[in-house]
């Protein structure tokens, strides 16, 4: 029984070796290369971080006073605000190859606000008295954003977007100085929450499969900023002035997006090696040769013996 098993194993090994030899003799092409994994350009959750600078603008400036307090000929002669720097973070989801959405929050550093308001008063030399206002403004912004990617060329993906949300604007260190009459006043810190909206455009670049770099522009409307009541210190009459102004910004942002999904997996194609064994009819010398086509279709030279007879 053992000799029979040994004979079967030896026969199988001989057949496998003989088949491999015939496969090599026939010059079979090598197996096809494994397909490259297809990298998905969309899909999945991501985290984002942004830094930038905001070129801020002051909108209309208004002042309100107590009901029975009247300021004759009040007008705004000058207004300004310095730029803001900001840092933000958020998370989002890419729904397909062209649409993604995220939720972001950011903190905008304090910018310096200033304005000059004048009013009619016969006691001032020019007929008008001037009050100088200054304050610090900081903002916290929270937005829900949607983006449309417009396609990719040479690794660059232009996009446009829109954001809706709210902002909390805080005014601190507000002071009011009248240099002509020597008046002085200050207001306590105050925060105001407003509706905020944004329009965006920019370019994205694939640093790696899971890391995206963005350079973009954003117009951000931060709503209104409102001071606390200004308390006068050395004037007989005080109207508890509250100053209010609009705030917007033209932002230049640099951001990174980290895709949380791993590489796209694929199922490798099975590698099938096919061996073909061809049996050629033996000749009288016991060697396998190719059979000549019958009849006149054979156009090759005729082999002859030394005596001239056909071989």
């Amino acid at each position: 029984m053992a000799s029979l098993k040994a004979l079967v194993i030896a026969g199988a090994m001989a057949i496998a070796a003989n088949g491999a030899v015939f496969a090599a003799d026939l010059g079979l092409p090598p197996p096809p290369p494994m397909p490259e994994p297809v990298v998905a350009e969309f899909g999945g959750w991501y985290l984002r971080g942004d830094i930038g600078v905001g070129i801020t603008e002051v909108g209309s400036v208004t002042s309100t006073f107590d009901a029975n307090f009247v300021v004759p000929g009040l007008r705004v002669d000058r207004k300004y605000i310095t730029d803001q720097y900001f840092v933000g973070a958020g998370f989002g989801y890419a729904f397909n190859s062209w649409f993604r959405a995220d939720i972001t929050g950011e903190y905008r550093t304090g910018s310096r606000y200033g304005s000059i308001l004048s009013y009619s008063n016969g006691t001032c030399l020019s007929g008008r008295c001037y009050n100088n206002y200054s304050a610090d403004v900081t903002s916290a912004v929270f937005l829900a954003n949607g983006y449309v990617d417009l396609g990719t060329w040479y690794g660059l993906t232009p996009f446009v977007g829109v954001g809706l949300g709210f902002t909390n604007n805080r005014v601190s260190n507000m002071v009011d100085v009248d240099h002509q009459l020597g008046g002085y006043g200050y207001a306590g810190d105050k925060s105001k929450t407003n509706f905020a909206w944004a329009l965006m455009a920019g370019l994205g670049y694939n640093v790696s499969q899971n890391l995206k770099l963005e350079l973009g522009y954003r117009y951000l409307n931060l709503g209104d900023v409102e001071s606390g009541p200004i308390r006068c210190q050395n004037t007989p009459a005080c109207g508890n002035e509250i100053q209010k102004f609009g705030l917007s910004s033209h932002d230049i942002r640099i951001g990174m997006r980290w895709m949380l999904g791993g590489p796209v997996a694929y199922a490798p194609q099975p590698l099938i090696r096919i061996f073909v064994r061809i049996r050629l009819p033996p000749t009288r010398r016991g060697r396998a040769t190719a059979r000549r086509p019958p009849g006149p279709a054979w156009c090759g030279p005729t082999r002859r013996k030394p005596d001239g007879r056909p071989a």
Side-chain angles (χ1 to χ4, degrees):
M1 187 68 175
S3 61
L4 179 58
K5 290 182 179 180
L7 182 60
V8 172
I9 293 173
M13 294 177 62
I15 292 173
N18 192 21
V21 169
F22 271 103
D25 291 342
L26 291 174
L28 293 178
M34 301 295 288
E36 294 292 333
V38 178
V39 179
E41 297 181 353
F42 58 88
W45 294 95
Y46 62 85
L47 301 176
R48 72 172 300 135
D50 299 276
I51 59 173
V53 58
I55 304 171
T56 50
E57 293 182 342
V58 178
S60 60
V61 178
T62 58
S63 290
T64 57
F65 302 88
D66 290 342
N68 297 325
F69 192 87
V70 178
V71 179
L74 183 66
R75 74 183 185 198
V76 178
D77 294 298
R78 185 187 177 193
K79 57 183 179 179
Y80 69 89
I81 192 168
T82 60
D83 297 339
Q84 290 182 321
Y85 298 92
F86 59 88
V87 58
F91 65 92
Y93 189 83
F95 293 90
N96 50 44
S97 61
W98 56 271
F99 179 74
R100 51 191 167 87
D102 54 39
I103 296 176
T104 58
E106 68 184 51
Y107 174 74
R108 304 176 70 92
T109 61
S111 56
R112 191 68 176 168
Y113 162 76
S115 63
I116 298 177
L117 275 67
S118 64
Y119 59 95
S120 301
N121 190 323
T123 61
C124 295
L125 294 178
S126 63
R128 297 190 67 83
C129 297
Y130 294 87
N131 281 34
N132 294 266
Y133 302 82
S134 63
D136 295 321
V137 179
T138 58
S139 303
V141 184
F142 303 91
L143 295 174
N145 308 287
Y147 310 88
V148 175
D149 293 330
L150 304 178
T152 301
W153 295 270
Y154 304 102
L156 297 175
T157 304
F159 65 86
V160 294
V162 62
L164 301 174
F166 65 93
T167 180
N168 182 268
N169 299 317
R170 182 176 179 83
V171 179
S172 58
N173 304 318
M174 167 70 85
V175 295
D176 171 15
V177 179
D178 185 342
H179 296 287
Q180 294 170 294
L181 300 180
Y184 175 80
Y186 69 91
D189 298 349
K190 184 177 181 180
S191 297
K192 187 175 188 296
T193 300
N194 308 278
F195 172 74
W197 57 273
L199 298 175
M200 296 162 282
L203 289 174
Y205 177 73
N206 293 336
V207 178
S208 67
Q209 180 176 333
N210 286 19
L211 183 60
K212 320 292 181 184
L213 173 66
E214 286 186 0
L215 175 63
Y217 163 81
R218 177 179 66 180
Y219 173 78
L220 177 62
N221 188 298
L222 294 99
D224 294 329
V225 181
E226 187 175 293
S227 72
I230 297 176
R231 310 298 182 185
C232 305
Q233 297 300 301
N234 55 355
T235 55
C238 186
N240 296 313
E241 178 184 1
I242 296 176
Q243 198 163 108
K244 181 179 179 181
F245 56 90
L247 185 62
S248 61
S249 179
H250 300 273
D251 295 343
I252 304 299
R253 300 195 302 169
I254 297 177
M256 304 291 286
R257 285 187 287 128
W258 292 269
M259 305 301 295
L260 298 181
V264 178
Y266 66 92
Q269 296 180 356
L271 180 61
I272 302 176
R273 190 182 296 273
I274 302 175
F275 298 99
V276 179
R277 185 172 181 179
I278 302 176
R279 292 185 176 274
L280 300 177
T283 64
R284 290 174 295 179
R285 295 185 180 87
R287 295 181 298 179
T289 61
R291 187 183 298 273
R292 296 178 179 175
W298 175 256
C299 299
T302 302
R303 298 179 58 188
R304 297 182 178 275
K305 293 182 180 182
D307 58 1
R309 292 182 300 170

